Amino acid sequence: MKEQVFLGGGGEDYGTPQGLALKYANRHGLIAGATGTGKTVTLQILAEGFSNAGVPVILSDVKGDLSGLAKPGSDSHKLHGAFTARADKIGFADYGYHACPVAFWDLYGEQGHPVRTTVAEMGPLLLARLLELSEAQEGILNIAFRLADEEGLPLLDLKDLQALLVWIGENRSELSLRYGNVSTASIGAIQRRLLVLENQGGAGLFGEPALALSDLMRCDASGKGMVNILAADKLMAAPGLYSTFLLWLLSELFEELPEVGDPDKPRLVFFFDEAHLLFDDAPKALIDKVEQVARLIRSKGVGVYFITQNPADVPEDILGQLGNRIQHALRAFTAKDRKNLRLAAETYRENPRFPTEEAIREVGVGEAVTSMLQKKGVPGVVERTLIRPPSSQLGPITQQERAAILKASDMAGKYDAPLDRRSAYEILAQRAQTAAQEAETSEAEAEESPQPMAREFNAARRYSGSRVSRSTSRTSRQKDTFTSAMSEVVIKELKGTTGRRIVRGILGSLFRGR
């Protein structure tokens, strides 16, 4: 099992080892199942297995339970007897308690090292999704990013973007001729969404020092892969921020890591918990981006595993990229549930020993229906697998234990203090101050000028031009005679309604006479 991550035992008596081949671990996977069926423990034992194989891991701790990876299990735990009995049943002879090297991270900087990125690195597509902008508002956001590049305005934190939007609003007339309509209403809507993001605590995500991906891909002195745990219990109150951050992290890995082909084991494994939050109400452009990343990132040695309650939460095009599958129990209480259960069963390679749909419905807690990629990447036959017990602590560690781990971490002090260097906010503020000083200086020089005429001309207080005269053809008319006056009256009357009737009557009589 050195070339595999041991999952548990399958077969008639659960004595046949079931594992995830490290060679195919970068071909992504799915962990699904109803609430309370054991998905979190499965995630925990997978993280242990990858770490033991020297593969770094990134995962989010939605409930706080996964912090137990940092501490070994105990003989005094209430489930110690059940764990050892299960290990004997599945033939896990090497079972014992041990911890994993863990690094804690937190967007809010409370339960882990702060995690930051810059507005420029986030990009307009993900930022528009985070702010839930309309198409017109997203267009203005794209204009802002273009102007930031052209004007040399670094976008590092939210105040940089807010200041740039104010500048765009002040110069919207000129910018509209070049980029299309720039409305103040759309700019105001973006500013309001940025305010909401600040109120949710999202302002701490943007800034420097930005997270270096190399700090997520480390191994300890013994060669074990680092387990990077993102504290997400508080972050889940802002699901858009949670899903957008994880998608940004995945996109950064895709953009920065070099191609490695098909390595013997992954360089990194990324677990995306509560995956449905990524796809709920997501625009097609974003889903296409996720599909592209899922297709291509495996050649960079990164495996992506989605964790969700139902496989139907993942779009079909992306679901087709997930070769390694662990399906815990699905409950069928409604017609829609039964349909989803049937569709989930149809995606597995059938086992003649049992119906797949029935197995998915009947497996108990700590048991799953599994199908792993085998030689040449062929999906394995579906198997009922009794998941192995965890070696690390089941459940969270204390706050004191977490604080001690943070203090002893290699990352301690690297990201704690924010850095506020010169960026768009400071540059635009300096421009405004310079323009105000120049205007004040110019006005003072004009007021101090010794020549009153020049001073009044600069202040636009005197106009010395002559009035343009009327056309000579009109002024040369003689209107003082009685004949000319009567002619004007007659002509005016003929132009009116009565005159037109007289003319029509005369002409009509003439033509009828002929």
Side-chain angles (χ1 to χ4, degrees):
M1 300 298 291
K2 291 182 179 180
E3 299 178 354
Q4 291 186 333
V5 174
F6 181 56
L7 295 177
E12 291 287 351
D13 300 319
Y14 300 110
T16 304
Q18 301 295 314
L20 169 59
L22 289 171
K23 185 176 181 179
Y24 302 114
N26 64 328
R27 305 220 178 164
H28 314 320
L30 173 72
I31 304 173
T35 301
T37 55
K39 296 192 301 295
T40 301
V41 176
T42 298
L43 176 56
Q44 183 171 346
I45 65 107
L46 282 175
E48 290 177 1
F50 282 121
S51 177
N52 293 337
V55 179
V57 171
I58 301 174
L59 53 86
S60 53
D61 191 3
V62 175
K63 296 181 291 186
D65 296 343
L66 293 173
S67 61
L69 282 161
K71 186 178 180 180
S74 173
D75 295 343
S76 61
H77 193 274
K78 62 181 180 180
L79 294 178
H80 171 69
F83 286 168
T84 54
R86 175 172 293 196
D88 292 339
K89 186 174 185 178
I90 63 177
F92 191 12
D94 297 334
Y95 178 64
Y97 294 124
H98 63 81
C100 296
V102 168
F104 292 107
W105 304 91
D106 186 2
L107 264 67
Y108 302 107
E110 298 173 355
Q111 302 184 66
H113 306 297
V115 180
R116 300 184 190 90
T117 184
T118 64
V119 173
E121 288 179 345
M122 178 68 74
L125 176 62
L126 290 181
L127 195 57
R129 198 261 181 176
L130 175 60
L131 299 176
E132 299 177 350
L133 301 183
S134 66
E135 184 177 352
Q137 294 159 6
E138 184 178 353
I140 291 179
L141 195 63
N142 277 278
I143 293 174
F145 275 79
R146 171 65 69 84
L147 288 171
D149 292 337
E150 294 178 352
E151 297 288 332
L153 302 173
L155 295 177
L156 303 182
D157 50 26
L158 286 188
K159 72 176 187 294
D160 290 330
L161 180 57
Q162 291 166 336
L164 180 57
L165 290 171
V166 170
W167 184 84
I168 290 174
E170 293 173 345
N171 298 272
R172 63 186 181 278
S173 299
E174 296 83 357
L175 296 175
S176 294
L177 296 175
R178 182 177 179 185
Y179 298 106
N181 184 42
V182 177
S183 68
T184 55
S186 294
I187 294 176
I190 299 174
Q191 295 283 37
R192 288 193 296 273
R193 296 306 304 170
L194 289 173
L195 179 61
V196 172
L197 180 61
E198 280 188 294
N199 292 338
Q200 293 176 344
L205 171 62
F206 298 101
E208 291 185 318
L211 177 66
L213 295 183
S214 58
D215 290 336
L216 301 176
M217 304 178 67
R218 298 175 296 127
C219 294
D220 68 356
S222 63
K224 288 187 176 182
M226 187 66 64
V227 179
N228 299 279
I229 301 178
L230 174 69
D233 48 350
K234 181 180 177 181
L235 186 59
M236 289 303 295
L241 180 60
Y242 166 79
S243 59
T244 304
F245 168 73
L246 291 184
L247 183 56
W248 164 80
L249 188 56
L250 189 61
S251 300
E252 285 295 295
L253 291 169
F254 173 72
E255 293 291 340
E256 293 192 15
L257 294 181
E259 297 279 345
V260 294
D262 288 319
D264 293 334
K265 63 181 180 181
R267 300 179 61 190
L268 180 71
V269 172
F270 186 100
F271 290 98
F272 204 126
D273 202 358
E274 300 293 343
H276 67 279
L277 296 176
L278 174 60
F279 305 109
D280 288 348
D281 301 323
K284 187 178 185 304
L286 185 62
I287 294 179
D288 290 343
K289 177 71 172 178
V290 177
E291 181 186 356
Q292 179 193 27
V293 171
R295 287 180 182 276
L296 301 178
I297 201 171
R298 73 175 185 85
S299 63
K300 303 192 175 190
V302 178
V304 183
Y305 289 73
F306 294 96
I307 299 96
T308 187
Q309 293 191 14
N310 197 308
D313 296 334
V314 182
E316 186 173 350
D317 291 339
I318 298 174
L319 192 63
Q321 308 299 316
L322 312 181
N324 302 295
R325 301 193 179 187
I326 302 174
Q327 177 67 66
H328 289 272
L330 286 177
R331 310 306 182 195
F333 297 111
T334 66
K336 183 179 179 181
D337 292 339
R338 289 192 293 271
K339 179 181 178 180
N340 290 335
L341 175 60
R342 184 176 65 256
L343 292 175
E346 290 174 354
T347 62
Y348 289 93
R349 184 179 168 190
E350 295 184 358
N351 190 323
R353 290 193 296 107
F354 57 84
T356 306
E357 182 176 345
E358 181 179 324
I360 295 176
R361 186 171 54 247
E362 294 180 353
V363 289
V365 177
E367 188 180 5
V369 173
T370 62
S371 176
M372 301 295 141
L373 294 178
Q374 297 177 343
K375 293 182 179 180
K376 299 182 180 181
V378 176
V381 174
V382 66
E383 188 62 78
R384 292 184 65 155
T385 302
L386 194 62
I387 302 299
R388 77 164 180 86
S391 297
S392 55
Q393 176 176 298
L394 187 65
I397 60 176
T398 65
Q399 290 297 327
Q400 292 77 12
E401 291 170 333
R402 182 189 290 264
I405 294 172
L406 287 172
K407 186 177 181 180
S409 172
D410 295 340
M411 298 294 103
K414 182 174 181 178
Y415 296 102
D416 293 346
L419 175 64
D420 189 12
R421 64 184 177 94
R422 180 178 170 83
S423 54
Y425 175 81
E426 289 78 12
I427 294 174
L428 291 173
Q430 182 63 41
R431 287 184 184 180
Q433 183 179 1
T434 302
Q437 290 176 350
E438 291 177 353
E440 184 178 354
T441 303
S442 177
E443 184 177 353
E445 290 176 352
E447 290 294 336
E448 295 173 359
S449 175
Q451 300 180 2
M453 291 289 291
R455 184 172 67 249
E456 292 181 1
F457 176 78
N458 291 333
R461 295 174 182 172
R462 174 171 294 185
Y463 178 76
S464 59
S466 61
R467 185 178 181 86
V468 178
S469 61
R470 298 175 63 87
S471 173
T472 55
S473 63
R474 293 177 61 92
T475 57
S476 63
R477 292 179 181 177
Q478 300 295 324
K479 300 182 180 180
D480 53 341
T481 64
F482 176 79
T483 303
S484 62
M486 287 300 295
S487 298
E488 286 191 1
V489 171
V490 172
I491 293 172
K492 182 178 181 182
E493 187 63 27
L494 289 175
K495 287 182 178 179
T497 304
T498 304
R500 288 195 295 272
R501 289 177 180 174
I502 294 173
V503 172
R504 285 199 301 269
I506 295 172
L507 293 176
S509 300
L510 291 175
F511 284 110
R512 282 198 300 272
R514 291 184 183 180

